[in-house]
Amino acid sequence: MTRSPLSKITIETAKEVYKGSYIDDEIILFDEFADVPLPSEPRRMGCLLLALCLKGKAQYTVDTEIHQVKSGDIIIIGEGQVVDNYLLSRDCSGIAFMVSYDFFNEAFQGVSELSALFLFARTHPVCSLLPQEVGTFTSYFKIIKEKADNKEHHFRIELARTLFKAMIYDLSNGIYRFQQMERKDCSRAESIFRDFIQLVARNFKEERRVGWYAQQLCITPKYLSETIKQMSHRTPNEWIDHYVLIEIRVLLKNTTKSIKEITMEMNFPTQSFLGKFFREHMGMSPSDYRKS
């Protein structure tokens, strides 16, 4: 007997049960933990969850591992991770963001290395912030919420993305401090995943062969594939394609470069190869995406 796929938690599904502050299907803000639609039974994340506990305690599992949350703890759950057994104490209070990966990636397009937050989410869903970091996060939440609620602001999504990017940089500074304390305990799998993602971020335009990345990391392609799948629920090829697709979309959306120029920049052999790749992932041609 085969199991049906796990239902996904997405911005769209969250909006069905929560009518608070949001911008399209890009970002949604929760004034209270209790409103976050995390499940008591297994569900797979289809977006990024970023939450801060301000009072009380919470407990949940991510990929079958139990995590305890207390006041001052930041919670980070990434795409593809399975959440279960979400429990709150009666006095638990906090704030949260749910963010689509398109929103996240467009905010950090052009950053040479993937945000520390994004990598950290895979293996450390909870970490403690200092009091001043809690205050900073709360301040960002309030101003982003204010902008999201101002539907008359013509640039509200661009402004929200800019503010979110600034918040992540501030938050990542705290996470960097936490990572330094944890670095001695970093597992081999975590190290490979981190190094692989950083390699992809720097080389995806020129190199898309899993074997090349394995060679750079001095491991076999099979071991690389098994490790990346274990750590992130994606294959190396899926990660590489993800970076390529995001870059093509950004170039189509935010530049006037021709399809031919984008083909050359992204090192596709022909425009038809790029078009086929893009249609397979987006369900439309590059030209139609640009028009839309």
Side-chain angles (χ1 to χ4, degrees):
M1 181 177 178
T2 58
R3 292 185 178 182
S4 57
L6 292 175
S7 298
K8 277 191 174 184
I9 301 170
T10 64
I11 306 291
E12 296 92 322
T13 60
K15 283 165 56 180
E16 292 174 2
V17 296
Y18 179 71
K19 305 303 179 185
S21 303
Y22 65 88
I23 298 177
D24 302 328
D25 293 332
E26 302 286 356
I27 184 171
I28 185 168
L29 298 93
F30 299 88
D31 292 303
E32 271 302 335
F33 262 9
D35 294 324
V36 180
L38 290 183
S40 57
E41 57 186 30
R43 292 289 185 271
R44 193 178 296 281
M45 291 299 297
C47 58
L48 174 72
L49 174 71
L50 184 60
L52 175 65
C53 181
L54 297 172
K55 182 182 177 183
K57 296 179 180 180
Q59 177 180 301
Y60 62 99
T61 64
V62 175
D63 295 336
T64 72
E65 291 189 9
I66 298 174
H67 297 280
Q68 308 284 344
V69 181
K70 64 183 184 306
S71 178
D73 284 351
I74 197 83
I75 302 167
I76 309 161
I77 307 177
E79 181 187 34
Q81 295 186 294
V82 176
V83 189
D84 195 4
N85 300 319
Y86 180 53
L87 301 170
L88 303 177
S89 66
R90 289 188 177 183
D91 63 340
C92 187
S93 180
I95 53 180
F97 294 90
M98 287 176 66
V99 181
S100 76
Y101 270 90
D102 285 347
F103 184 92
F104 185 92
N105 281 305
E106 287 188 21
F108 287 90
Q109 188 64 35
V111 177
S112 60
E113 293 185 357
L114 199 61
S115 165
L117 172 73
F118 189 67
L119 288 174
F120 203 73
R122 296 295 161 176
T123 51
H124 298 76
V126 179
C127 70
S128 299
L129 299 182
L130 298 174
Q132 62 266 34
E133 293 166 346
V134 171
T136 298
F137 186 91
T138 304
S139 297
Y140 275 116
F141 179 89
K142 290 178 180 177
I143 191 170
I144 294 172
K145 182 177 184 298
E146 176 188 326
K147 300 307 177 186
D149 288 340
N150 184 5
K151 294 181 171 56
E152 301 302 315
H153 199 302
H154 183 68
F155 299 103
R156 64 197 275 263
I157 188 167
E158 290 81 7
L159 187 55
R161 187 179 290 124
T162 300
L163 290 166
F164 184 80
K165 183 174 182 177
M167 182 188 74
I168 294 301
Y169 275 123
D170 262 330
L171 182 59
S172 294
N173 184 61
I175 289 174
Y176 176 77
R177 168 182 49 77
F178 192 87
Q179 281 179 311
Q180 295 305 106
M181 294 187 295
E182 294 278 307
R183 191 166 296 280
K184 290 182 180 179
D185 298 324
C186 181
S187 72
R188 173 66 171 154
E190 288 176 291
S191 178
I192 289 172
F193 176 67
R194 182 188 65 237
D195 293 346
F196 169 73
I197 289 294
Q198 292 176 351
L199 272 173
V200 173
R202 292 194 298 267
N203 297 284
F204 69 91
K205 288 186 180 181
E206 292 79 27
E207 275 295 345
R208 291 170 200 151
R209 296 171 298 155
V210 173
W212 183 87
Y213 289 96
Q215 186 177 30
Q216 302 308 304
L217 296 170
C218 301
I219 57 178
T220 66
K222 181 180 178 182
Y223 184 55
L224 175 62
S225 296
E226 290 174 348
T227 302
I228 300 306
K229 183 71 173 177
Q230 171 198 339
M231 293 298 298
S232 68
H233 304 284
R234 287 182 175 183
T235 66
N237 278 323
E238 286 172 336
W239 275 112
I240 295 165
D241 287 350
H242 174 76
Y243 271 83
V244 172
L245 183 64
I246 288 293
E247 182 69 12
I248 294 173
R249 289 173 57 181
V250 168
L251 291 172
L252 289 169
K253 183 177 180 181
N254 300 313
T255 76
T256 57
K257 291 182 179 181
S258 67
I259 306 297
K260 182 179 179 180
E261 288 173 321
I262 295 173
T263 298
M264 294 176 64
E265 181 172 337
M266 297 302 297
N267 285 295
F268 279 85
T270 65
Q271 286 182 225
S272 62
F273 271 89
L274 182 142
K276 181 180 178 182
F277 171 87
F278 196 83
R279 278 191 295 270
E280 285 177 351
H281 290 84
M282 293 298 298
M284 65 177 76
S285 70
S287 298
D288 288 341
Y289 179 80
R290 172 168 271 173
K291 292 175 185 176
S292 70

